[in-house]
Amino acid sequence: MLTAAAWYKDGDFWQFAVTTVVALALGALGALATVRASNPKRRLVYRTLANTSLFVASHSATSALMVTHGITPVLRPRVIELELKNGGRKDITLDQFHAGAPIKYDLGADIVAVLDVSTEPTGSTPPVVEVDPASRNSLTVKPFLLARKQVVRISILVDGAQADVQFLSVPLVDVDRREGAAVEEPHWTRKVTDNLPPIAFCVTLVFVAADTLFRS
């Protein structure tokens, strides 16, 4: 029978304690890694980069300048730039677009033309971007593969007073959607599971050292 003063000197007690703690720690880390691997996060981050008039107030008031697109005059020209980014850990595929429906914006002004659709990194595929035939204010982005870390930027010429861009429809399944400019920071679980082997090794060393110390 162990006395109150002797339990902490007993080698068998510390061997059992070390084995139990190491097994629990490795089990928890392994379970966390399994959950993360089986549930990869898909995340769409979207934002409006610019919504800028091509006229300053004095030009607009005096009609000193005129903008045309082709032969069409643009009375209140604005350039809007939008960004779509895959901020998750896995590709957003065509299968994530529910019933093949597009992403849809309301730009708050008549769309004159889609000026440019660019994508990063080099070699990634840009989406097809069109004006919604049902509304001159609406822009659609057809279903496409948004690869991990891919960024798409869309520039549009509109005619109208400044208004907030509205993100009307995001028909994505199993995809987290966030509005903002911030790049996703890894969650603490991601940091832990990404470094599982060295963490497990260090935990084992610590408890083996503790066991050796209390046995001596």
Side-chain angles (χ1 to χ4, degrees):
M1 179 178 177
L2 293 175
T3 65
W7 69 268
Y8 59 86
K9 296 181 180 179
D10 187 83
D12 291 337
F13 169 80
W14 282 107
Q15 183 177 12
F16 172 77
V18 168
T19 301
T20 301
V21 172
V22 169
L24 289 174
L26 295 181
L29 291 174
L32 191 61
T34 300
V35 169
R36 176 173 174 260
S38 61
N39 295 280
K41 292 291 185 182
R42 291 182 173 91
R43 174 169 297 161
L44 175 69
V45 182
Y46 58 92
R47 60 171 172 159
T48 302
L49 294 176
N51 189 351
T52 308
S53 173
L54 296 185
F55 288 162
V56 297
S58 60
H59 292 156
S60 179
T62 62
S63 299
L65 293 178
M66 178 177 293
V67 172
T68 61
H69 183 265
I71 61 173
T72 304
V74 185
L75 301 179
R76 293 175 294 177
R78 308 188 64 81
V79 172
I80 296 175
E81 187 172 5
L82 308 172
E83 181 179 86
L84 296 169
K85 176 180 179 179
N86 186 336
R89 301 195 300 264
K90 197 169 183 180
D91 295 350
I92 299 174
T93 68
L94 293 174
D95 293 337
Q96 264 75 53
F97 286 81
H98 179 65
I103 295 172
K104 186 180 290 187
Y105 291 91
D106 183 347
L107 302 187
D110 288 344
I111 299 171
V112 178
V114 177
L115 300 177
D116 185 54
V117 180
S118 63
T119 184
E120 298 174 0
T122 302
S124 52
T125 304
V128 175
V129 180
E130 297 178 340
V131 181
D132 187 345
S135 171
R136 293 296 304 175
N137 286 12
S138 297
L139 187 79
T140 62
V141 181
K142 290 190 173 183
F144 72 109
L145 171 65
L146 185 62
R148 181 172 177 264
K149 295 185 178 181
Q150 182 179 351
V151 180
V152 173
R153 296 186 179 91
I154 306 164
S155 296
I156 314 102
L157 175 65
V158 302
D159 188 351
Q162 182 168 359
D164 292 336
V165 173
Q166 301 294 324
F167 211 65
L168 291 182
S169 176
V170 194
L172 297 175
V173 179
D174 296 329
V175 177
D176 180 29
R177 290 155 286 178
R178 296 191 180 183
E179 183 174 7
V183 176
E184 179 195 16
E185 292 296 332
H187 192 268
W188 71 270
T189 55
R190 183 178 179 183
K191 293 181 180 179
V192 170
T193 53
D194 280 348
N195 295 281
L196 179 59
I199 290 175
F201 179 72
C202 291
V203 169
T204 303
L205 283 182
V206 168
F207 283 102
V208 168
D211 179 44
T212 303
L213 176 63
F214 281 103
R215 281 176 174 274
S216 60

